[in-house]
């Protein structure tokens, strides 16, 4: 019987209330962090698409410049051979 009376004591009720308050605050922080994470993921998805496009453009420029330099070298060789 003494275990039953101690389970419902005011200190246990206060302790439980404090624990629920701490849990509620922790859950609110967790929810805010999850919302921030979701926004960051959305931003990352958009940025990754733009990064992919930029990489494609950059690769095209490098390939084109390589072609121009090779063409210049061939023209220089042809003019020195003549």
């Amino acid at each position: 019987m003494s275990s039953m009376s101690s389970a419902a004591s005011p200190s246990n009720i206060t302790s439980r209330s404090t624990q629920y308050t701490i849990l509620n605050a922790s859950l609110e922080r967790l929810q805010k962090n999850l919302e921030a994470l979701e926004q960051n993921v959305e931003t990352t998805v958009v940025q990754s698409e733009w990064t992919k496009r930029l990489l494609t453009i950059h690769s095209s420029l490098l390939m084109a410049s390589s072609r121009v330099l090779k063409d210049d070298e061939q023209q220089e060789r042809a003019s020195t051979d003549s």
Side-chain angles (χ1 to χ4, degrees), residues 12-70:
N12 283 343
I13 293 173
T14 303
S15 175
R16 185 174 288 175
S17 175
T18 303
Q19 289 175 350
Y20 281 136
T21 302
I22 293 170
L23 178 62
N24 188 34
S26 296
L27 289 174
E28 286 177 1
R29 274 197 331 264
L30 180 61
Q31 181 64 34
K32 288 178 184 177
N33 288 341
L34 286 173
E35 290 170 1
L37 176 63
E38 183 179 358
Q39 290 175 353
N40 289 340
V41 167
E42 290 174 4
T43 301
T44 302
V45 167
V46 170
Q47 289 176 347
S48 67
E49 288 298 320
W50 283 106
T51 302
K52 184 179 174 183
R53 291 179 186 180
L54 185 61
L55 180 63
T56 302
I57 292 169
H58 192 196
S59 298
S60 299
L61 287 171
L62 287 174
M63 289 171 30
S65 65
S66 173
R67 174 72 185 250
V68 168
L69 291 174
K70 284 181 183 178

